[in-house]
Amino acid sequence: MPQPGPRAGPLAEPGTTTREAIRSAATRLFQEQGYARTTVRRIAAAAGADPALVIRYFKSKELLFLETMHLTIDDEPLLGVPLEHLGERLVELLVDLDGAARGIFLALVHGSDEQRIQRRLRDTHEQVLIAPLRRRLSGPDADLRARLAAALAAGMLYALWVAQDETLLRTDRPALVAHYGALLQRVLTPPA
């Protein structure tokens, strides 16, 4: 059982174990600085721990990253929406994601040159974007349409969060939802 260790900084709370403090510090640093710029020493310093404990508890920086960076999106808002409004609702859901989701998405994208992180990004894309859409669609090309819609949705996040497209960032939310939602809807429910 991990022993409580020294604390430093705002992450250290009474009763927090060293392992929890390291995990919490790593989560924050990976989201703020990305995988490459976050070092084991920085994680340890933010947790008020020795760098050797980071490796002892998590084996490597990459395994610590994989333990802390999980992107999930509540797909419940997509379940009750009529299929003909699914594109707009998905865009609304993505545009309204909070800072933690943004940080995790960026950390996964920026760390994807590591094989296991790239695999996590691919699995996240499959589980978070494709699977909820696939469950809503039917027909022989349902899987393809779900994948195309997921690619469009991920492309929007890329444009907003990675490329930081200034025009899209300045576009008011209703206009962005209407335009991008219509694009997604065309893929989800193509005209006959």
Side-chain angles (χ1 to χ4, degrees), residues 162-186:
V162 178
Q164 297 184 354
D165 183 304
E166 290 183 27
T167 301
L168 292 179
L169 290 169
R170 283 193 310 265
T171 301
D172 67 282
R173 182 185 179 280
L176 185 62
V177 168
H179 287 291
Y180 216 91
L183 182 64
L184 270 169
Q185 194 63 50
R186 189 166 175 85

Side-chain angles (χ1 to χ4, degrees), residues 32 50 66 71 88 103 125 161 184:
E32 292 173 358
D50 187 288
L66 291 170
L71 179 62
E88 276 194 10
H125 180 75
W161 294 347
L184 270 169

Side-chain angles (χ1 to χ4, degrees), residues 66-87:
L66 291 170
E67 182 171 318
T68 58
M69 296 292 103
H70 296 277
L71 179 62
T72 59
I73 297 174
D74 179 12
D75 63 357
E76 176 122 359
L78 300 177
L79 299 177
V81 175
L83 190 57
E84 61 271 12
H85 298 292
L86 186 57

Side-chain angles (χ1 to χ4, degrees), residues 3-119:
Q3 298 296 316
R7 309 287 183 274
L11 296 176
E13 296 179 16
T16 302
T17 65
T18 301
R19 188 178 202 293
E20 291 166 345
I22 291 168
R23 192 178 192 291
S24 181
T27 298
R28 182 178 54 80
L29 290 171
F30 285 137
Q31 288 180 19
E32 292 173 358
Q33 301 177 1
Y35 179 78
R37 293 187 309 177
T38 300
T39 65
V40 169
R41 288 190 184 281
R42 283 185 182 168
I43 294 168
D50 187 288
L53 287 176
V54 174
I55 301 305
R56 177 178 168 207
Y57 289 134
F58 298 97
K59 307 299 181 220
S60 70
K61 180 176 92 166
E62 184 180 18
L63 290 176
L64 176 56
F65 180 90
L66 291 170
E67 182 171 318
T68 58
M69 296 292 103
H70 296 277
L71 179 62
T72 59
I73 297 174
D74 179 12
D75 63 357
E76 176 122 359
L78 300 177
L79 299 177
V81 175
L83 190 57
E84 61 271 12
H85 298 292
L86 186 57
E88 276 194 10
R89 185 63 188 113
L90 177 58
V91 174
E92 287 174 338
L93 185 66
L94 294 175
V95 168
D96 292 340
L97 286 176
D98 68 5
R102 180 181 186 273
I104 293 168
F105 177 83
L106 291 173
L108 288 168
V109 168
H110 291 279
S112 65
D113 57 335
E114 299 289 332
Q115 186 177 15
R116 287 186 281 197
I117 296 172
Q118 195 278 331
R119 193 174 19 231

